[in-house]
Amino acid sequence: MIDEVRGRGPSRRTFLAGTAVVGAGALGLSPLTQASGDGNASGNGTANGTGTAGKRNGTPTVHEMGTDVDVLNYALTLEHLEDVFYREFLNDVSKEEFVNSEALQNFNAWEKRASYDFVRKVGEHESTHVEALTKIIRALGGEPVPECTYDFGVESVGEYLTVAQALENTGVAAYDGALALIESPDLTTASATIATVEARHASFLNFLNGDVPFPAAFDDAKSAEEILAVAGQFVESCPEE
């Protein structure tokens, strides 16, 4: 069974070859003091993090044999999108509007208020992931990818919650596809501690949208191309190098 589950994920070569333009999801690194150490944790002897990565409109273009920094920049691209999404969500939707939304009509008053606070907490987590990834990429001598411009196309609380659910579940799939591809044990451990938090985000958003919080015994790993099919639709433009 374990071998079957492991077989679902892409190889490092396949994954890195497809990370051209992406944006959604989750491979944030939080415990920087554990992960970055003295800045020599690239996992493949290339602590400068340059590897084979270039840039296209500010997002990574990675050839077949990339470095851990290439994978982390893929993650940062995804985290930027989530971070901006929640900033816009919380800027556009007041707590009063949230609790009075038709999308939450099946929840009681306490659940509605608590859910708004939980959405705010999710947004804080995504901001923390962006900060952590940026710091660790720089500690490894890499250049963090910048935040892009996004269009989420949402106008109501219900639409925000639907997109949030898609982003969080896509993020979990991105984690499953990328986690094993990081070569540094320290970075892998740090990433795993955030992957579990991202899965909790997905469960929460599933529940808010009336879906099963944990729909299957195993999650599917997704390649960068598959992640892009969901996430790339929200990216309008990215800064030129």
Side-chain angles (χ1 to χ4, degrees):
M1 174 63 73
I2 295 298
D3 289 339
E4 177 184 349
V5 174
R6 286 175 178 169
R8 295 176 182 174
S11 68
R12 182 180 177 90
R13 175 183 295 267
T14 299
F15 179 86
L16 291 176
T19 56
V21 182
V22 284
L27 188 61
L29 305 181
S30 182
L32 285 174
T33 56
Q34 298 177 10
S36 61
D38 60 359
N40 293 319
S42 70
N44 55 6
T46 54
N48 62 8
T50 56
T52 56
K55 285 188 180 181
R56 179 186 300 144
N57 293 330
T59 56
T61 59
V62 185
H63 302 302
E64 289 187 339
M65 298 303 291
T67 68
D68 281 354
V69 167
D70 296 327
V71 180
L72 297 183
N73 257 327
Y74 166 73
L76 180 56
T77 306
L78 307 181
E79 290 287 359
H80 274 312
L81 185 144
E82 285 191 323
D83 180 32
V84 173
F85 172 79
Y86 285 105
R87 287 188 346 234
E88 291 188 6
F89 187 170
L90 295 166
N91 182 65
D92 292 346
V93 178
S94 67
K95 189 169 187 176
E96 180 179 5
E97 183 179 359
F98 185 90
V99 300
N100 292 322
S101 167
E102 183 178 350
L104 297 174
Q105 60 181 331
N106 294 325
F107 293 88
N108 65 38
W110 182 88
E111 290 168 338
K112 292 177 181 179
R113 293 193 299 271
S115 293
Y116 180 85
D117 294 336
F118 295 155
V119 169
R120 183 176 293 278
K121 178 62 68 175
V122 172
E124 292 173 357
H125 288 171
E126 306 304 354
S127 293
T128 300
H129 296 169
V130 168
E131 293 172 2
L133 278 167
T134 298
K135 290 179 181 178
I136 200 168
I137 289 168
R138 286 176 176 158
L140 295 174
E143 179 65 28
V145 294
E147 181 181 294
C148 297
T149 300
Y150 314 97
D151 181 3
F152 299 102
V154 293
E155 298 180 353
S156 68
V157 172
E159 290 175 350
Y160 267 115
L161 292 178
T162 298
V163 172
Q165 180 182 9
L167 293 182
E168 295 297 343
N169 281 277
T170 299
V172 173
Y175 252 116
D176 289 341
L179 187 60
L181 304 174
I182 297 178
E183 295 182 348
S184 163
D186 287 339
L187 295 179
T188 300
T189 299
S191 300
T193 66
I194 303 304
T196 54
V197 174
E198 293 290 348
R200 294 174 189 179
H201 294 171
S203 293
F204 168 59
L205 269 302
N206 285 355
F207 180 73
L208 278 187
N209 284 284
D211 293 327
V212 179
F214 28 81
F218 300 98
D219 287 319
D220 291 328
K222 300 294 185 182
S223 67
E225 295 92 335
E226 292 172 303
I227 296 301
L228 176 59
V230 176
Q233 64 185 300
F234 302 114
V235 180
E236 281 196 320
S237 63
C238 293
E240 296 290 344
E241 185 175 13

